[in-house]
Amino acid sequence: MKKGFYLLLILVFSQVQAQKDFQGLAVYESKTQAPKFEGVRTGNRDITPEMQKSMEERLKKMLEKTFILNFDKSASIYKEEEKLETPGQQGGGMRVMMNSFMGGGGTFYKDVKTKSYTVDKEFMGKEFLVVDSLPKLEWKLEQETKQIGGYNCFKATAVKEASKTDFRNFRPKNNDDKKEEVKKTSGETKTNFEDNFEIPKQIVVTAWYTPEIPVNQGPENYWGLPGLILEVNDGKTTILCSKIVLNSKDKVEIKPSKKGKVISQKEYDATVIKKMEEFREMNRGREGGPGGGNTIMIRR
């Protein structure tokens, strides 16, 4: 009787310990559809088809990234995989600027027990530590299924408010709906480059999760489904899991970053928007200078 009790006790302890030590790693490939540069001019020069193709290819590569998600039963860290640029590769300055407007690199820490997140961001040379509550999406669980990397996945959809500080949410404006002030010159409309883009109020999110890995985790700030999220699409950006490793011998310490000025998401967004508006006004002030500043011409 005692022997059976001790065996049961050992079994329960082993299961508890296994859950405590459980850890996984998921690799995600993120791709964002780059905007087109058709029918535009920069300054007083036409953008040739060769220039257009080159700009679109460079932007496309900059928007293709690899991320690593390390997770356990209650928390995770999500970080971009660092890559060395090939010798002679151009666009470093533009990459730094875009990363700055996309919140920099940083480590995104999620704690699904406390429903909070912490992410260190670098913006315009300053370090911030954004600490806030995890956004709660009203997921609609669908019956549609598919396989991703050998795992059976179920579809879920939700609608979320678009972030005004995420470059990936920018959409080209419909010429018929433009409301910005314009200045006509020689039958053309002159406007700042950023005036030709807008941010939608809401975004439809489609996610695919697998109950075969029963953790409440996913890439970026996505969570809240009964299984690990292996794919997310918001119409412009697709994040797809390409590799999963469970219970590796090499454990990773899953904890939030502590560097940077502590700030809420709302405060951080307000700081970024203010700087973006200052940058925009600065460009407007340079419109009349040689070369027209950072402007484009849209032919009517």
Side-chain angles (χ1 to χ4, degrees):
M1 189 75 175
K2 289 184 178 180
K3 186 177 180 181
F5 174 76
Y6 286 128
L7 287 174
L8 179 62
L9 190 64
I10 291 172
L11 179 61
V12 171
F13 178 79
S14 299
Q15 289 178 338
V16 171
Q17 191 66 28
Q19 286 189 350
K20 183 180 178 181
D21 294 337
F22 172 81
Q23 193 174 108
L25 176 150
V27 179
Y28 291 88
E29 307 298 334
S30 175
K31 294 183 179 181
T32 300
Q33 182 181 340
K36 299 294 182 181
F37 294 95
E38 297 177 359
V40 302
R41 300 180 69 194
T42 176
N44 295 321
R45 293 189 305 160
D46 285 317
I47 293 182
T48 65
E50 291 77 17
M51 291 172 60
Q52 175 189 328
K53 184 178 179 181
S54 175
M55 290 169 64
E56 290 175 356
E57 284 297 321
R58 286 170 60 186
L59 188 56
K60 179 173 178 265
K61 289 181 179 179
M62 290 170 62
L63 293 171
E64 292 179 352
K65 300 185 177 185
T66 301
F67 293 87
I68 307 295
L69 178 74
N70 288 284
F71 59 90
D72 56 27
K73 286 288 184 178
S74 61
S76 68
I77 50 175
Y78 184 74
K79 187 174 183 179
E80 182 180 354
E81 183 181 59
E82 296 182 0
K83 295 181 180 179
L84 292 175
E85 293 188 1
T86 56
Q89 184 176 353
Q90 297 180 349
M94 186 178 179
R95 182 184 297 274
V96 171
M97 181 178 176
M98 274 195 60
N99 278 338
S100 183
F101 278 101
M102 290 177 69
T107 300
F108 197 109
Y109 171 84
K110 291 198 299 287
D111 188 329
V112 297
K113 278 191 175 180
T114 62
K115 296 180 175 58
S116 64
Y117 70 92
T118 301
V119 55
D120 53 320
K121 291 176 175 283
E122 182 180 343
F123 181 72
M124 304 298 282
K126 294 184 179 180
E127 292 185 342
F128 297 92
L129 189 65
V130 181
V131 181
D132 218 316
S133 300
L134 279 169
K136 182 173 176 56
L137 296 182
E138 297 298 328
W139 291 107
K140 180 182 178 183
L141 304 184
E142 311 280 359
Q143 294 300 314
E144 189 176 345
T145 64
K146 71 174 182 179
Q147 281 211 342
I148 299 177
Y151 289 93
N152 293 315
C153 297
F154 290 84
K155 182 180 180 180
T157 57
V159 177
K160 75 171 185 177
E161 183 179 350
S163 170
K164 296 180 180 179
T165 60
D166 191 337
F167 174 84
R168 297 171 303 176
N169 292 330
F170 282 30
R171 307 289 193 267
K173 280 186 179 179
N174 185 328
N175 285 339
D176 296 332
D177 297 332
K178 286 183 180 178
K179 298 180 180 179
E180 75 273 14
E181 295 181 0
V182 297
K183 181 172 64 179
K184 294 190 176 182
T185 306
S186 303
E188 297 170 335
T189 299
K190 187 175 184 180
T191 175
N192 279 333
F193 180 79
E194 61 269 25
D195 287 336
N196 290 273
F197 295 89
E198 63 183 354
I199 297 176
K201 292 182 179 180
Q202 292 183 323
I203 293 176
V204 177
V205 179
T206 300
W208 295 87
Y209 66 95
T210 176
E212 295 174 20
I213 305 178
V215 295
N216 194 354
Q217 292 288 347
E220 294 191 356
N221 61 351
Y222 292 108
W223 69 293
L225 287 170
L228 180 65
I229 299 173
L230 299 189
E231 182 178 343
V232 176
N233 177 272
D234 69 359
K236 283 288 183 179
T237 299
T238 297
I239 305 173
L240 177 63
C241 182
S242 60
K243 180 181 178 181
I244 294 177
V245 179
L246 298 178
N247 291 321
S248 171
K249 292 181 180 180
D250 300 322
K251 301 295 182 181
V252 175
E253 190 173 19
I254 299 177
K255 64 178 184 179
S257 175
K258 294 185 178 180
K259 64 178 183 179
K261 177 185 176 182
V262 177
I263 191 171
S264 70
Q265 187 67 58
K266 185 177 180 180
E267 291 171 328
Y268 176 78
D269 289 347
T271 300
V272 174
I273 290 171
K274 182 180 178 181
K275 287 297 181 182
M276 290 176 72
E277 289 175 349
E278 290 176 359
F279 183 73
R280 180 175 179 174
E281 289 303 315
M282 180 180 68
N283 283 337
R284 285 188 183 278
R286 288 160 47 185
E287 279 187 2
N294 292 332
T295 63
I296 63 173
M297 294 286 197
I298 304 176
R299 296 192 181 279
R300 292 287 187 183

